[in-house]
Amino acid sequence: MNKSENISRIRNIGFIAHIDAGKTTVTERTLFVTGRTYKLGEVHHGTAVMDWMPQERERGITITSAATTTYWKDYRINIIDTPGHVDFTAEVERSLRVLDGGVVVLDAVAGVQPQSETVWRQADKYKVPRICFVNKMDRAGASFERTIESIKQRLRGNAVAVQVPMGQEDSFKGTIDLFDGKAYFYNTNDPTAMDEGPIPAEHMADYNRLREVLIERIAETDDSLMIKYLEGEEPCSADLRSALRSATIRRALVPVLCGSALRSYGIPLLLDAVTDYLPSPLDVTAIEGTNPDTDEVEFREANAEAPLAALAMKVMTDPFVGRLVYLRIYSGYVKTGATVYNATKDIRERLGRVLLMHANHREEVDWVGAGNIAAAVGLKNTFTGDTICLENAPIVLEPPTFPSPVISVAIEPITKVDRDKLTDSMRKLSEEDPTFVVRNDAETGQTIIAGMGELHLEVLVDRLRREFNVASNVGKPKVSYRETITQESRAQGRFIRQSGGHGQFGDVTLELTPLESGSGVIFEDKITGGKIPREFISAVRQGVFASAQNGTVAGYEVVDIKVTLVDGSFHPVDSSEMSFKAAASIGLKEALRKAKPILLEPVMEIEVVTPAESLGTVLGDLNSRRSSIQNIEGGDDIQRVRAFIPLVNSFGYATNLRSMSQGRATHTMEFKHYEAVPQGLLSEVVKQG
């Protein structure tokens, strides 16, 4: 790697999409077309380079985000292939946090699907510019224009076609470029080669219509082009491409291309679009962080000469080199053997080795500069979301945020040897996956593991067995309920112990206020006049947060409340941190009981695609599972049902759906929100808890 590398010719992109839209196949074809690999990997054969885990190859799905680097026409493209299954949404979250651009892969038959909406929202959250690739144009039922309409309606994306497909389904033979008016015919003998030619007469009307739309939409984003357009002057292709690039980077437009990844159709043109329209590290806003010494906001430009600022996006355990930390380097550079500063943890770390990753293959280098993604060996105390920088120029970057687990199971090692290895193995897995949580149940003594879904936990248990040689028994899935309050309340908590000599005295008055969903627990101190000494306020805070872990309805975590410390008293001799911590716990429990607490359950959004003849059976089954149907749409043959279903009623749904539809229906599910448990079911849940 060269220190004088031109950062403007770097692209950090991710392929993101719904499960089975073809992300990994697009990635595999990209690597083949660019010469990074010399043999086509197939997902359905279990030979995909990017799906290297045994669990991925067996299931034919992506589980972990894999990084690689390739080159196209003097551009360096760093690629992350992300999972599509909702159980592994954390992989998408952390990838989008560090990427400059995204390629959203859509199925030309299914259009926008539920997980497409999820990844689109995640990309919006991190302000990631994106282009769309409509895949599987050669399949029966494919429609380019219908897919573009679904982008506009379901994603609210300002999509604009930059190509016209020549035919679709089994007659799909190429595309027409709307900028230069060239027709590209795919070569069945060499899918990476394309034959250029004039536009066939039968496609000329579509070309003229869509080119007019393209010019109009681009002109709306650029004042100088708009003036030319209104004056009847047609802008040249170079000006149109430049304006589209600018609009894409500002997220004002989303260019849409099409092809068939399985046949490698359209991949070279997609790579051209990646380099033409998606931003380099120089095109995006300088990364913003906070100076931990002054709390002032600072910015770091993408420049190898600037002070180092890198974000740890992922931790993984490699069987050959040990603990790997993936870094997105925003400014400066990392060097083998250098001492760096973890500003999040306030500790020094030593970079043993620096690696460029190609899925699970490693390439050792001396130096990696700004704008790139690399892996480091030797960062023992650095975790996902930590900032690596220089000690004399500290900065803390905003870490990615992850959803809370919604499902848990008890896990028990089979032998004493397994018991000794289980704790260390689960610690390594939880370091890799922020949505995998391990805790011990104080009442039962069991080890509880929690995650984002049944598949998520199934894969983790399988990894314990294969990678760490830990055999275990796993209990039935349990739902992660929550508790909250429905009205304001006020209560006093007093902790007084007198046993001769030095005693304990703590007295607090707390007010509780219900908050909006997703607010968590907020603590506010309103003590005045020294009623409680300042050194005991933090103990009250600790007592509140510790007590909020176990609610008063069924012992589940309390969320969405504001706790205000409004009054209290102390004893000059007997008061201590412990006594105020205990008083806060007592006061919170009492205030919760007065605030009409309720139990909340996780509710999933489910989409079922079913043959029309099975629709009645599917709806009847969903209703029996306490689902609320949101809408039903589709044609004569296929119906699409969207509904909200309580997580507790969704267990085993995949098996039931297969039997109801003779294996023809499919479904996807993702966490939507928490909702109050119906009063009639409350006693049953409390009994289980």
Side-chain angles (χ1 to χ4, degrees), residues 504-562:
Q504 296 287 348
F505 182 93
D507 172 29
V508 299
T509 300
L510 303 174
E511 284 184 355
L512 261 59
T513 310
L515 297 176
E516 288 183 3
S517 177
S519 302
V521 178
I522 297 174
F523 177 82
E524 185 176 354
D525 167 29
K526 283 194 175 178
I527 289 294
T528 56
K531 291 178 180 177
I532 298 176
R534 304 311 304 168
E535 61 265 26
F536 296 141
I537 300 296
S538 64
V540 175
R541 178 194 295 269
Q542 290 171 19
V544 164
F545 280 100
S547 188
Q549 295 300 309
N550 302 100
T552 56
V553 179
Y556 291 101
E557 182 184 347
V558 181
V559 294
D560 306 331
I561 61 167
K562 180 180 179 183

Side-chain angles (χ1 to χ4, degrees), residues 28 134 161 165 200 253 496 511 543-544 583 601:
E28 295 294 324
V134 180
L253 286 175
I496 302 173
E511 284 184 355
V544 164
E601 63 179 345

Side-chain angles (χ1 to χ4, degrees), residues 594-609:
K594 292 180 177 179
K596 291 191 176 178
I598 57 171
L599 195 65
L600 302 173
E601 63 179 345
V603 173
M604 315 297 283
E605 183 175 30
I606 187 171
E607 178 163 303
V608 183
V609 179

